[in-house]
Amino acid sequence: MTTSITKWYMELPVVTRVYLTLAVSTTILCYYKIWGIDPLHLYLDYTGVWYKGQWWRLITTFLFFADASNNAEIDFLFHMFFLVRYSRMLEEGTFYGSSADFLWMLTFGGSILLGLVPFFRIPFLSHSLTFMMVYVWGRKNEGLRMSFLGLFNFRAPYLPWVLLAFSFLLQMPIVVDLLGIFVGHVYYFFQDVAPNQPGGLLKGRRILATPYVFKWLMSEQERFRWRLARGRGVQAGGDAAEAPAANNDRDDGQVHQHQD
């Protein structure tokens, strides 16, 4: 079983794997107070960021997924399922061959969420960022039919709204979900809608083009993985493989699904 889990983990695309690793590690460290780490040290507090140099709060706010409820473990597993499922489907589908574009999407969404926090006083933005992924995935797969608990069918773009209604019925806070939907729509509009509007000011222009630094970072990651694999191959007496060519300059693709 350990081998199966390891294989599944290593088969995750790089951005999804890194995000999952950081989220699980951070949440477990906080939940069990390992090394004295506490959620109070990680939540987004701009006073601490600006006046105490606690810049890590800008990142850890996206990594903590637990809450103070009696069902914290179940809630954590539920959010990890959503994180891996939709992050992986986006990275292997819409952003196939270009993890740099996917990383840029998360960075763009996270930046907007950081700017909205002062108006809503939300300590952790991890759930909102995950909801953004759900929204973007739904928009990128408009023809895909889904079912909610076998009760009714709907198309993928309505998934975040179905989840939002479910949270509302369970009397759970919905502001974090709404923020994720808002940020996801902003990204979708400027990435897919505005550049294709006839006669629009942004027609044919990609104002959300991925910055070069993200493409460079992913290229270096691929080269590192190749060198690591090559070193293992040499130690095992195998033939060294050729270095992979970077493929970060492609246009965004679409997930191939059966359409009605």
Side-chain angles (χ1 to χ4, degrees):
M1 181 176 179
T2 303
T3 303
S4 300
I5 295 177
T6 302
K7 181 180 179 182
W8 169 83
Y9 175 76
M10 295 307 299
E11 288 178 348
L12 293 174
V14 58
V15 176
T16 300
R17 186 168 67 249
V18 171
Y19 194 6
L20 173 66
T21 302
L22 293 175
V24 171
S25 301
T26 301
T27 304
I28 290 178
L29 288 174
C30 287
Y31 190 78
Y32 293 102
K33 303 289 175 52
I34 300 175
W35 298 324
I37 297 178
D38 187 275
L40 293 176
H41 302 148
L42 306 179
Y43 79 95
L44 184 57
D45 174 26
Y46 277 119
T47 300
V49 173
W50 299 124
Y51 298 105
K52 299 180 181 180
Q54 299 173 351
W55 56 267
W56 63 82
R57 293 180 182 270
L58 299 174
I59 300 175
T60 54
T61 184
F62 297 104
L63 302 179
F64 184 72
F65 279 85
D67 57 28
S69 68
N70 294 328
N71 298 317
E73 295 86 354
I74 297 177
D75 181 76
F76 171 69
L77 293 175
F78 177 79
H79 282 98
M80 288 301 97
F81 169 78
F82 264 78
L83 170 64
V84 174
R85 176 176 173 81
Y86 292 99
S87 178
R88 182 173 190 172
M89 287 197 296
L90 278 171
E91 194 171 358
E92 292 183 340
T94 300
F95 298 95
Y96 177 75
S98 186
S99 293
D101 293 342
F102 180 56
L103 180 59
W104 167 237
M105 184 201 82
L106 295 179
T107 304
F108 173 80
S111 299
I112 296 181
L113 288 171
L114 289 173
L116 293 174
V117 163
F119 301 99
F120 297 95
R121 296 181 180 180
I122 298 175
F124 293 102
L125 297 170
S126 48
H127 297 174
S128 296
L129 191 62
T130 302
F131 226 79
M132 174 198 178
M133 287 188 256
V134 174
Y135 182 89
V136 173
W137 177 84
R139 282 294 190 172
K140 296 285 189 176
N141 296 273
E142 294 187 351
L144 182 64
R145 285 187 174 275
M146 307 186 72
S147 175
F148 183 73
L149 302 178
L151 299 177
F152 58 90
N153 298 323
F154 57 93
R155 292 187 181 273
Y158 294 102
L159 176 60
W161 300 104
V162 171
L163 296 175
L164 179 71
F166 187 65
S167 297
F168 179 77
L169 291 175
L170 294 179
Q171 297 183 340
M172 298 172 62
I174 62 173
V175 175
V176 291
D177 299 346
L178 286 171
L179 286 178
I181 290 175
F182 172 75
V183 173
H185 186 73
V186 170
Y187 174 84
Y188 172 73
F189 176 81
F190 285 107
Q191 181 70 16
D192 295 285
V193 178
N196 298 313
Q197 286 283 358
L201 295 176
L202 299 177
K203 179 175 175 56
R205 300 177 59 186
R206 293 189 60 200
I207 62 173
L208 293 183
T210 304
Y212 173 77
V213 64
F214 289 86
K215 299 180 180 181
W216 172 83
L217 182 63
M218 289 297 102
S219 296
E220 289 299 309
Q221 179 272 148
E222 285 294 327
R223 292 190 181 96
F224 174 78
R225 291 183 60 187
W226 169 75
R227 288 194 294 266
L228 185 62
R230 183 173 181 268
R232 290 175 178 173
V234 170
Q235 291 178 1
D239 294 331
E242 294 183 0
N247 184 26
N248 291 317
D249 296 323
R250 65 177 238 329
D251 291 330
D252 290 338
Q254 294 290 333
V255 178
H256 297 291
Q257 303 283 359
H258 292 290
Q259 310 284 329
D260 291 337

